[in-house]
Structures are given as C-alpha cells and as structure tokens.
Amino acid sequence: METDDAPCLTTVENLPENDSFLFTVRERDGSEEEVVLVHGDDCITAWKNFCQHETDQRLDRGFGAAMRDGDIICPKHGSMFDGCSGHCDNGKAAGSTLVPVDVTVDDGAVYLTDRTCEFAHEGGIEEDDEDDMPSSSSHLSF
C-alpha cells in the first residue's frame, strides 16, 4: 500500500510492544469512530475500539488498552482478542473478531492506509459537554 499521501499516526519506536495508541477517524458518512492501534506479538494492527460482545464497551477508555502477551483484553468481560488477528477464543466474545482498520508500517512509521475512513485526530471522540443543564449546581439565573 502506498504511504505517500497517508497520514502518519506514530512511529514503531513510540509504540512499545503490548502498548496501544488511540485515535479517531471520520467515516464516509461523516460519523466518527475510535480506533485503537496496538503493537502485539510481532505485528502492528488497528481495530475499531469496541468489544464484539457489547459494542458500547470500549477496549481503550482513553488511557490505553489493557494488553497481555499480545492480546487485547476487554476491561468489562475479560475476553481476550489476539492483537494480530483480532480473533477472540474465550469469554463472552468467543468466536468473534474485532473490526480491522488498515495501517501500514513503512521505514519505522505507522500510516493510516484504510480507504474507508480518514484521520480526524489523536485521542478519542470528543464528548459533547452541552447537555442542556446549567453549568453550575445552582438552578438560579440572574
């Protein structure tokens, strides 16, 4: 895959084994999706940031995905997904596979090369702080 016009996410040096990097992509329909880039056993891969058993359960909650021996661990269910294949063979998510996002490693740099989305920003999806509630605990207005 050509990396000339692909955004550089990070470097292999900055992503130690059994570590992760969270970023957000914009899908073709305009929606945003979190992606977790992981350095598993002898691979660097990227996956949509949700457990296959319960899609509102994030694998990386904003402070790194829990990983052990190249596996990504669901913080809620304990299911373990192979960091290289995305496949889970235990727990409530057994038999499922994480949703991949294409990345390419070239000359020590990791690039987003998935044609179905575009890089939005590092980190997770920004939560909307506006919830129609007052900004303080007081409901009085002057």
Side-chain angles (χ1 to χ4, degrees):
M1 172 80 39
E2 186 69 33
T3 60
D4 289 344
D5 60 348
C8 181
L9 300 170
T10 188
T11 64
V12 174
E13 183 179 332
N14 288 333
L15 187 66
E17 269 194 56
N18 287 306
D19 203 358
S20 64
F21 173 80
L22 182 66
F23 65 99
T24 298
V25 296
R26 189 165 294 103
E27 303 283 353
R28 287 184 175 158
D29 66 2
S31 65
E32 290 188 333
E33 191 77 48
E34 289 182 356
V35 178
V36 60
L37 177 73
V38 298
H39 191 168
D41 291 339
D42 301 320
C43 69
I44 293 181
T45 52
W47 310 101
K48 297 280 178 89
N49 188 28
F50 58 86
C51 178
Q52 293 299 289
H53 172 253
E54 200 171 300
T55 59
D56 65 343
Q57 177 57 50
R58 294 172 25 203
L59 299 169
D60 181 338
R61 297 177 182 178
F63 43 86
M67 293 189 69
R68 181 176 47 219
D69 299 328
D71 290 339
I72 306 164
I73 305 165
C74 175
K76 183 172 183 179
H77 308 110
S79 293
M80 298 174 73
F81 296 88
D82 181 276
C84 294
S85 71
H87 183 72
C88 179
D89 63 2
N90 65 66
K92 293 185 177 190
S96 67
T97 302
L98 296 174
V99 178
V101 174
D102 294 337
V103 294
T104 300
V105 178
D106 185 22
D107 198 26
V110 184
Y111 297 91
L112 174 64
T113 52
D114 197 308
R115 302 248 185 239
T116 66
C117 58
E118 65 182 32
F119 179 79
H121 57 82
E122 287 185 28
I125 296 172
E126 303 296 323
E127 296 295 324
D128 186 7
D129 289 334
E130 295 183 35
D131 57 4
D132 296 328
M133 295 297 291
S135 59
S136 72
S137 59
S138 171
H139 294 281
L140 300 175
S141 59
F142 297 97

